[in-house]
Amino acid sequence: HFILEENMLEVDCPCVTPEVVLKASGHVDKFTDLMVKDEKTGTCYRADHLLKDYCTEKLEKDLTISAEKAAEFKDVLAVMEDYSPEELGAKIKEYGITAPDTKNPLSDPYPFNLMFQTSIGPSGLIPGYMRPETAQGIFVNFKDLYYYNGRKLPFAAAQIGQAFRNEISPRQGLLRVREFTLAEIEHFVDPENKSHPKFSDVSKLEFLMFPREEQMSGQSAKKLCLGEAVAKGTVNNETLGYFIGRVYLFLTRLGIDKERLRFRQHLANEMAHYAADCWDAEIESSYGWIECVGIADRSAYDLRAHSEKSGVALVAEEKYAEPKEVEKLVINPVKKELGLAFKGTQKNVVESLEAMNEKEAMEMKATLESKGEVEFYVCTLGKNVSIKKNMVSISKEKKKEHQRVFTPSVIEPSFGIGRIIYCLYEHCFSTRPSKAGDEQLNVFRFPPLVAPIKCTVFPLVQNQQFEEATKVISKELTSVGISHKIDITGTSIGKRYARTDELGVPFAITVDSDTSVTIRERDSKDQVRVSLKEAASVVSSVAEGKMTWQDVWASFPHHSSAAADEQE
Ligand code: AMP
């Protein structure tokens, strides 16, 4: 759905990552959650979870709270992602929140880094971490990936693999675990042109979207047309919109119920400061709305961060058809004068001067011209130094440029595979009464595309002829790559159908003669009769989506579920 459709590159990077990579990306300093400790037992909790649970419970269960208090709790829920440790601690104290298990008092909140630390190599001196996401492996390989793509933008690289996070309180079954499968796409694009050539393929889609404004004004998600949401600027750009549309098609094709799927935009306070826009595909399950896919425009942040730390330019070029005349800022530090003035720290001063942006440089030039001297902050020295007029020349020069060099922006869909699969189980699970009506039978309504077992084969009664025919069909199914299960137990046919329904098997072939067989479809329980020879190829076509069940029904002699019940 993604890799072939966009001709993506694929990579497989190691889980153990050197510290320097995650230092550059910001994870070593900032990949933290706020934690509080039970003062007596030492048990740890996520501070925001405790506050969230408290406010939600008050809103849902406490009928005595005033309208004013209810509004306050709602407000806290909306902005708490933005709280500093002190603000979060103050709220926990104000509401008298205690440790949920013991009711003991709690410590002040403090940041806890979610990465598992390790050391690389026998000396134990090289610090490393288990990767908290797969994306960084793609960013540090950008130069090679860009080269493999013929130095052309846009292009995407994808990776699937394990990610590790030392979650403070894993909970909700499979939804918050410490080791999970992540699938990430990094789509690199020119920041000045975020249009997408295939946007029209998805622009007419309509589905539940939950923009920032609707969340802030207490409304609920509503059906929006994707093309309009992009045209109005609700979604920041076409490429981000394209991936939102593709994720919608992906999830619904898997069997996620479209009424229980919404795309929620991040609130300004939830979003990383560098992100241009971010939407989460949230799926409703018995645990509430769960973030399963994050789709973010991360601008040029990641490539810039790795460029700065490694000194390797992670950039793309656009060649001009005709050379362009441009005005360029030229900063020339006069090393002789700077050397005399700053000696050993000359290098730091030179680097800081060269790193000035246009506004800073032009302000310095004006001050040097009027006063002959300027105070200048050198961040690597952590202090101001005095720069004199003879130490630097700043000018603007006209130059001919043949190409534009820029850091690409990246649009990143990031899929939590375990969460999607868990939600799929819930959405596909259903029950229906048994024929006698005395019990409820479980059915997993997995679409054939994702059902782990596509077909069961069983002889109607135990006899050698039917068992031989079953073996022939099984062999053919194997040769066309269809996963299947044979059931030759003598149990009643009804029981055997019930068993396969419970496993979510979409088709069952029943051998009731040595020339022809029936194929039963799980959800309708309808059956068609096909020749023994055709059975495997019909199941393979319908299981792989080359034919629909309606096509099969129309092409072969058939009987409906009521008649099938008679047979059972
Ligand atoms: P994030 O980088 O935090 O946006 O996470 C990307 C995706 O990974 C999320 O959309 C989730 O689907 C999934 N995810 C994050 N943390 C966990 C976890 N602890 N357990 C399982 N899946 C997770």
Side-chain angles (χ1 to χ4, degrees):
H1 185 86
F2 292 105
I3 308 278
L4 297 186
E5 181 72 31
E6 318 298 335
N7 270 315
M8 289 180 187
L9 300 171
E10 291 174 85
V11 290
D12 189 7
C13 302
C15 295
V16 178
T17 311
E19 182 175 54
V20 65
V21 171
L22 294 159
K23 184 89 187 155
S25 65
H27 285 87
V28 173
D29 297 323
K30 297 210 189 89
F31 197 59
T32 53
D33 274 339
L34 290 172
M35 179 160 98
V36 283
K37 248 187 198 164
D38 180 321
E39 297 249 13
K40 295 206 176 114
T41 65
T43 309
C44 300
Y45 304 93
R46 250 180 78 169
D48 60 335
H49 281 176
L50 295 188
L51 184 59
K52 186 173 172 193
D53 291 349
Y54 176 85
C55 295
T56 321
E57 200 173 310
K58 280 276 173 204
L59 284 167
E60 282 171 5
K61 300 202 181 127
D62 189 347
L63 302 174
T64 61
I65 55 170
S66 64
E68 243 172 37
K69 215 51 192 159
E72 178 186 317
F73 289 140
K74 277 191 192 154
D75 190 50
V76 170
L77 285 173
V79 300
M80 63 189 230
E81 298 248 0
D82 227 13
Y83 281 163
S84 65
E86 293 72 31
E87 287 168 320
L88 198 56
K91 274 284 165 216
I92 288 177
K93 282 223 162 66
E94 181 188 334
Y95 294 155
I97 300 173
T98 52
D101 304 316
T102 59
K103 306 289 167 242
N104 290 332
L106 293 165
S107 72
D108 288 333
Y110 57 98
F112 170 74
N113 195 298
L114 295 182
M115 292 193 295
F116 288 100
Q117 195 168 17
T118 184
S119 51
I120 301 171
S123 70
L125 296 175
I126 306 169
Y129 296 90
M130 302 303 287
R131 64 180 176 196
E133 57 176 34
T134 63
Q136 301 307 322
I138 298 181
F139 298 136
V140 295
N141 282 296
F142 173 79
K143 248 184 114 169
D144 288 337
L145 295 166
Y146 182 54
Y147 170 78
Y148 282 126
N149 202 54
R151 305 179 75 80
K152 285 201 178 65
L153 281 189
F155 77 93
Q159 170 158 224
I160 181 162
Q162 293 304 92
F164 307 83
R165 297 183 186 179
N166 198 2
E167 296 284 354
I168 298 167
S169 40
R171 55 185 199 173
Q172 302 176 321
L174 293 175
L175 298 179
R176 188 172 298 283
V177 285
R178 292 194 169 117
E179 183 177 337
F180 55 97
T181 306
L182 203 55
E184 293 186 293
I185 295 169
E186 308 301 326
H187 179 95
F188 297 101
V189 64
D190 183 342
E192 288 176 17
N193 178 10
K194 291 185 182 173
S195 63
H196 196 287
K198 290 197 283 184
F199 183 64
S200 58
D201 291 359
V202 295
S203 63
K204 297 207 171 54
L205 290 174
E206 276 189 17
F207 47 79
L208 283 177
M209 295 184 88
F210 202 6
R212 205 171 283 146
E213 278 69 41
E214 271 72 1
Q215 295 170 55
M216 300 298 283
S217 56
Q219 299 175 50
S220 44
K222 57 180 176 219
K223 277 213 169 95
L224 293 181
C225 164
L226 184 57
E228 281 173 29
V230 171
K232 283 188 189 146
T234 312
V235 173
N236 185 277
N237 59 73
E238 259 189 17
T239 300
L240 186 64
Y242 177 72
F243 279 106
I244 292 175
R246 293 291 298 164
V247 168
Y248 169 81
L249 292 175
F250 175 69
L251 294 173
T252 48
R253 261 187 96 188
L254 295 184
I256 294 294
D257 177 358
K258 48 178 177 291
E259 301 304 325
R260 286 192 282 167
L261 166 64
R262 71 180 185 195
F263 287 80
R264 189 182 70 80
Q265 189 173 31
H266 276 203
L267 298 176
N269 58 30
E270 265 177 271
M271 224 162 40
H273 64 276
Y274 48 80
D277 194 9
C278 186
W279 293 74
D280 285 341
E282 295 185 333
I283 305 178
E284 194 182 24
S285 76
S286 53
Y287 294 106
W289 287 95
I290 305 298
E291 175 206 336
C292 290
V293 188
I295 311 152
D297 181 336
R298 301 173 55 88
S299 68
Y301 172 81
D302 305 277
L303 290 182
R304 279 215 182 106
H306 286 293
S307 275
E308 271 164 31
K309 189 84 184 168
S310 62
V312 177
L314 300 177
V315 290
E317 302 106 30
E318 184 204 1
K319 297 240 177 327
Y320 296 138
E322 293 283 316
K324 274 191 191 169
E325 189 155 284
V326 288
E327 227 184 20
K328 283 222 108 177
L329 174 72
V330 180
I331 302 174
N332 277 326
V334 182
K335 295 206 176 132
K336 197 176 138 220
E337 298 297 334
L338 290 164
L340 282 173
F342 301 110
K343 307 207 166 63
T345 57
Q346 183 209 168
K347 196 166 160 263
N348 304 59
V349 181
V350 168
E351 278 172 0
S352 287
L353 285 169
E354 285 174 341
M356 281 189 295
N357 63 29
E358 187 167 329
K359 186 167 168 273
E360 291 161 343
M362 294 325 280
E363 277 171 11
M364 177 180 274
K365 183 180 166 69
T367 319
L368 286 177
E369 272 161 19
S370 61
K371 298 196 179 130
E373 196 172 344
V374 66
E375 286 287 285
F376 177 58
Y377 182 72
V378 180
C379 64
T380 49
L381 297 178
K383 62 172 186 185
N384 278 343
V385 298
S386 171
I387 300 290
K388 303 217 167 58
K389 206 175 166 186
N390 61 353
M391 293 179 182
V392 61
S393 87
I394 298 169
S395 59
K396 276 190 169 177
E397 286 175 13
K398 287 218 161 97
K399 278 193 171 169
K400 281 218 160 140
E401 281 202 337
H402 298 268
Q403 62 177 15
R404 178 169 74 95
V405 178
F406 59 94
T407 307
S409 280
V410 65
I411 298 197
E412 175 195 80
S414 168
F415 302 76
I417 300 298
R419 288 191 181 178
I420 297 173
I421 291 182
Y422 174 78
C423 293
L424 190 62
Y425 281 161
E426 278 206 16
H427 287 200
C428 290
F429 182 77
S430 67
T431 57
R432 63 185 172 204
S434 62
K435 201 173 79 180
D438 54 348
E439 58 176 326
Q440 286 293 317
L441 303 175
N442 298 334
V443 186
F444 265 124
R445 294 176 186 266
F446 296 129
L449 182 70
V450 294
I453 307 165
K454 312 282 184 216
C455 176
T456 16
V457 196
F458 37 73
L460 182 63
V461 290
Q462 277 177 317
N463 77 31
Q464 208 189 344
Q465 231 179 344
F466 290 178
E467 276 173 29
E468 281 309 312
T470 301
K471 279 189 199 149
V472 171
I473 293 176
S474 164
K475 207 167 170 206
E476 281 173 14
L477 285 170
T478 305
S479 75
V480 289
I482 292 293
S483 56
H484 59 282
K485 207 173 147 69
I486 300 173
D487 187 345
I488 51 166
T489 56
T491 1
S492 78
I493 189 88
K495 282 225 171 74
R496 279 186 280 175
Y497 282 146
R499 269 189 211 159
T500 69
D501 290 346
E502 199 158 49
L503 293 172
V505 183
F507 305 106
I509 299 176
T510 305
V511 180
D512 57 357
S513 100
D514 51 10
T515 52
S516 73
V517 297
T518 62
I519 304 175
R520 170 201 189 249
E521 194 272 333
R522 179 197 59 214
D523 298 343
S524 60
K525 299 197 273 178
D526 289 345
Q527 297 186 4
V528 296
R529 180 164 291 281
V530 302
S531 72
L532 194 94
K533 279 203 190 95
E534 283 171 303
S537 74
V538 172
V539 168
S540 137
S541 302
V542 72
E544 287 174 353
K546 291 181 192 137
M547 257 176 129
T548 64
W549 177 252
Q550 283 70 30
D551 299 333
V552 177
W553 177 257
S555 317
F556 296 96
H558 48 250
H559 49 273
S560 67
S561 62
D565 279 347
E566 284 301 301
Q567 181 198 17
E568 290 172 26

